[in-house]
Each structure stands twice: as structure tokens, then as C-alpha cells.
């Protein structure tokens, strides 16, 4: 029964993510989610007390199931991660819905920075390693840099979504690094960094 409950909860989250990604929170009705998930109303409300609670679960779970690029921690791996996320934002409805809800969370009564803090923590971890290896300049505050990178990335993906449905997101993220790296990376390291298109789903 426990395994069945886990599968039911995941089916509800997936259905909600797909509908929210496509229609937004307001238009993704509970009845549509129930129908898409193939569950009963009782099953949905057993796992989530309200539509708002379900949306919050989708939002904070946006990183679940992602398989970030392997490799040695540091600046190159961070670049690879941001390019991988660009590809996932083109194809992954769960991530897209979570990102959309993080932006639109005021529509369902939330003010929760935890989705952004999750990525700040992830990026800061790679930057700390990079700085210890001499890849990032010693006077850089890596926590502030991680915050700035997440904020810049969020705006970049949003404008890319509005402009081209994210078809140009890989190029936009590459350009973000192009202008950011000269300010934070050791000059000897910059020529060694690559922007592999293997993370670009539209390549």
C-alpha cells in the first residue's frame, strides 16, 4: 500500500506539473489534474489538502529527478550544470512548472524564496570549490556571486521563454557567462572553460 501511495502521489504531482506548465496555476483546475492523473478526488486530497498545497509541492520539488552533469566540482561543472538546466527547461514539464510557480507564487498566496535558495546553495557549493582551486578570484564573495547568478539566470530564462519559448536559452546562458566570467574567473582559467552543446536539447 505504501508503494501504491507513493506512485499515486507522484502521478498527481506529474499531472499538476504538466497542466501548470501549459496553462498556469489558475487554469490548471483540480478536476483537470484528477482526470490527467487518473485518480479520485479523495486520493488527491489524501496527499494534498488543497490545490495551493499541491502547487507548493510542485514548486519546491522542481529539482527532483534531475541528473546534473557528472565531473570534477568547480567552475566548469557549474557551467555544465547551467547549460544542462537550459536543456531541461526546454523539455522537462516538472522543472518548467516549478519555475513558473516560483515566479507566479503570489497568485496562490505564497512568498517563498526556498526554490531560489536551493539553487543558490547548489551554485555556491561549486563556486566555493572553484575558488579553493584558484579558478575564481580570491576577492569574490562566492555567496553573493551565487545569488547574482541565480537572479540573472532566472531573468534570462524568463525573457527567453517570453521571446522564443526558450529555443534560444542555451545561447542566452552562454552569453551570460561570457560577460560574467571576466569579472570573477582567473584569467588563466577562462580560455580552458568550454560550453558543450551536449546539454542543449535543441542543438
Amino acid at each position: 500500500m505504501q508503494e501504491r501511495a507513493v506512485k499515486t502521489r507522484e502521478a498527481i504531482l506529474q499531472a499538476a506539473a504538466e497542466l501548470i506548465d501549459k496553462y498556469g496555476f489558475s487554469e490548471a483546475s483540480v478536476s483537470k489534474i484528477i482526470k490527467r492523473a487518473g485518480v479520485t478526488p479523495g486520493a488527491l486530497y489524501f496527499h494534498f489538502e488543497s490545490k495551493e498545497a499541491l502547487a507548493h509541492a510542485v514548486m519546491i520539488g522542481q529539482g527532483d529527478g534531475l541528473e546534473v552533469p557528472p565531473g570534477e566540482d568547480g567552475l566548469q561543472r557549474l557551467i555544465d550544470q547551467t547549460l544542462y538546466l537550459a536543456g531541461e527547461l526546454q523539455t522537462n514539464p516538472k522543472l518548467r512548472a516549478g519555475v513558473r510557480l516560483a515566479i507566479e507564487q503570489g497568485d496562490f498566496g505564497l512568498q517563498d524564496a526556498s526554490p531560489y535558495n536551493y539553487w543558490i546553495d547548489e551554485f555556491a557549493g561549486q563556486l566555493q570549490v572553484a575558488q579553493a582551486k584558484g579558478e575564481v578570484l580570491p576577492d569574490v564573495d562566492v555567496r553573493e556571486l551565487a545569488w547574482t547568478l541565480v537572479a540573472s539566470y532566472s531573468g534570462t530564462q524568463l525573457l527567453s521563454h517570453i521571446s522564443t519559448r526558450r529555443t534560444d536559452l542555451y545561447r542566452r546562458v552562454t552569453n551570460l557567462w561570457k560577460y560574467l566570467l571576466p569579472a570573477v574567473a582567473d584569467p588563466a582559467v577562462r580560455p580552458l572553460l568550454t560550453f558543450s552543446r551536449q546539454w542543449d536539447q535543441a542543438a
Side-chain angles (χ1 to χ4, degrees), residues 28-176:
S29 66
V30 169
S31 60
K32 289 178 182 176
I33 294 170
I34 289 169
K35 182 177 180 180
R36 193 176 192 93
V39 301
T40 65
L44 186 145
Y45 287 112
F46 173 80
H47 291 282
F48 305 99
E49 63 181 17
S50 64
K51 179 184 172 184
E52 289 76 15
L54 173 55
H56 186 246
V58 172
M59 184 180 77
I60 64 175
Q62 62 182 258
D64 294 349
L66 295 177
E67 298 181 3
V68 296
E72 183 180 347
D73 288 345
L75 195 51
Q76 181 63 66
R77 191 173 188 215
L78 176 57
I79 291 170
D80 289 346
Q81 287 177 348
T82 61
L83 297 178
Y84 165 78
L85 289 172
E88 288 295 301
L89 281 165
Q90 293 171 334
T91 61
N92 185 329
K94 184 177 287 187
L95 177 60
R96 288 200 304 252
V99 168
R100 179 169 184 167
L101 287 168
I103 295 169
E104 300 176 357
Q105 59 181 285
D107 293 349
F108 53 102
L110 278 182
Q111 186 176 349
D112 184 357
S114 60
Y116 298 103
N117 289 333
Y118 171 84
W119 293 113
I120 290 170
D121 290 342
E122 290 291 311
F123 292 174
Q126 293 299 324
L127 288 167
Q128 287 169 353
V129 174
Q131 192 171 58
K133 293 165 63 177
E135 298 172 347
V136 170
L137 297 174
D139 61 342
V140 171
D141 183 322
V142 294
R143 189 75 188 178
E144 285 189 358
L145 175 55
W147 192 100
T148 301
L149 179 57
V150 170
S152 301
Y153 195 102
S154 298
T156 296
Q157 73 82 23
L158 178 59
L159 184 53
S160 173
H161 173 61
I162 293 170
S163 302
T164 69
R165 306 298 292 181
R166 298 193 181 98
T167 59
D168 68 344
L169 185 53
Y170 176 91
R171 177 167 60 88
R172 298 302 183 184
V173 173
T174 300
N175 285 341
L176 175 62

